Amino acid sequence: QVQLAESGGGSVQAGGSLRLTCVASERAYKGLVMAWFRQRAGKEREGVGAISVDGESTYYHDSVEGRFTISRDNAKNTLILQMNDLKPEDTGDYYCASDYEGGPVRDLLIRTNYKNWGQGTQVTVSS
């Protein structure tokens, strides 16, 4: 069974932090590249960052580089997104995704390259 379940969303003030987690079934996690995406109001779902199977390599969207950190705990089938120095423009629904089907690194943040998706968790950042 393929399952991804995000949690950790909430409301914070600008400059604050949130930690999102995504707990996955083994089939949706083991041996798979994983990523975080977000969808802001009125916009397409966009990639935030991705992480390799062993967790050693990460790739971020320019808008979150240096503020967000992706990690994974392979013993617990859990993907993590630590978000610091949050800005109002980070407001949106955040989704975890797995099973990357693309090619080069530059395609890691393209929504259509992932097979599995969670239901999302909402993040609101106020100014």
Side-chain angles (χ1 to χ4, degrees), residues 10-33:
S11 298
V12 296
Q13 290 193 321
S17 298
L18 280 174
R19 184 175 185 264
L20 307 184
T21 60
C22 171
V23 178
S25 63
E26 183 144 325
R27 186 173 167 186
Y29 185 92
K30 197 171 183 67
L32 301 176
V33 169

Side-chain angles (χ1 to χ4, degrees), residues 54-110:
D54 62 4
E56 293 294 316
S57 299
T58 52
Y59 182 73
Y60 298 97
H61 190 278
D62 288 347
S63 65
V64 306
E65 182 84 55
R67 300 188 297 122
F68 291 11
T69 302
I70 294 177
S71 60
R72 62 194 294 167
D73 183 342
N74 288 347
K76 297 181 179 179
N77 291 355
T78 299
L79 179 70
I80 299 158
L81 181 65
Q82 178 65 43
M83 305 187 293
N84 298 328
D85 190 23
L86 282 160
K87 303 177 180 182
E89 53 264 41
D90 294 318
T91 294
D93 294 319
Y94 283 69
Y95 301 86
C96 66
S98 73
D99 202 356
Y100 176 63
E101 297 184 304
V105 170
R106 65 175 181 269
D107 292 343
L108 279 168
L109 301 185
I110 296 176

